[in-house]
Amino acid sequence: LAQGGYDRHLRQLRRSLAQQQAIALAAVAAHFPPGTRVSRPEGGYFLWVELPPAVNALDLHRLALQQGISLAPGQIFSADRRVAHCVRINYGHQAHDRLQPALECVGRLATVLAAEGARTPPGERTNNSNL
């Protein structure tokens, strides 16, 4: 602390997180389905992503896990269904070289779920394990 190492560490961490945030925001914009909205946080290392209403975040979570990708479905942050089409994405991991490919994959999965959900009446939607 007396040598300024902690301040240097924090500056480097902030730069790294800003770069990773930019990568994550660009990947969401490029690869997620039309109608997706994303937060632009001023701090931290999470994005809140609102997908089209036809996407069930729990289904997306399960499909992403099958690809070795972890994200947090909105349902774990609320007791009601208002965020059932939202996910929280962590971009703060050291393995930032895997961030863009992972988000491209999640975007493809979300696009498929959005298309399938748009074709299925809301009362008939079930968990999708066919992808």
Side-chain angles (χ1 to χ4, degrees):
L1 289 174
Q3 310 283 322
Y6 187 66
D7 288 334
R8 279 191 302 279
H9 166 72
L10 289 178
R11 283 192 300 274
Q12 180 181 358
L13 180 60
R14 285 185 192 110
R15 277 193 302 274
S16 177
L17 288 173
Q19 290 171 341
Q20 290 168 226
Q21 182 189 75
I23 290 167
L25 288 168
V28 170
H31 301 288
F32 280 56
T36 297
R37 296 175 12 178
V38 63
S39 65
R40 295 188 183 276
E42 292 184 28
Y45 44 89
F46 296 105
L47 297 180
W48 183 255
V49 180
E50 183 179 341
L51 297 157
V55 177
N56 181 313
L58 285 173
D59 289 343
L60 181 59
H61 170 70
R62 282 191 275 280
L63 293 169
L65 279 177
Q66 291 173 2
Q67 302 299 315
I69 302 167
S70 179
L71 52 85
Q75 289 93 322
I76 67 173
F77 300 102
S78 176
D80 62 34
R81 304 280 302 156
R82 289 182 299 169
V83 294
H85 63 291
C86 299
V87 294
R88 188 180 78 171
I89 295 174
N90 180 341
Y91 59 83
H93 294 290
Q94 290 294 329
H96 61 273
D97 58 323
R98 298 188 324 220
L99 180 61
Q100 184 169 340
L103 290 177
E104 288 175 14
C105 179
V106 171
R108 286 191 302 271
L109 294 171
T111 300
V112 170
L113 289 173
E116 288 184 355
R119 290 191 303 261
T120 306
E124 296 179 21
R125 291 184 191 151
T126 60
N127 291 338
N128 189 332
S129 60
N130 297 330
L131 298 179

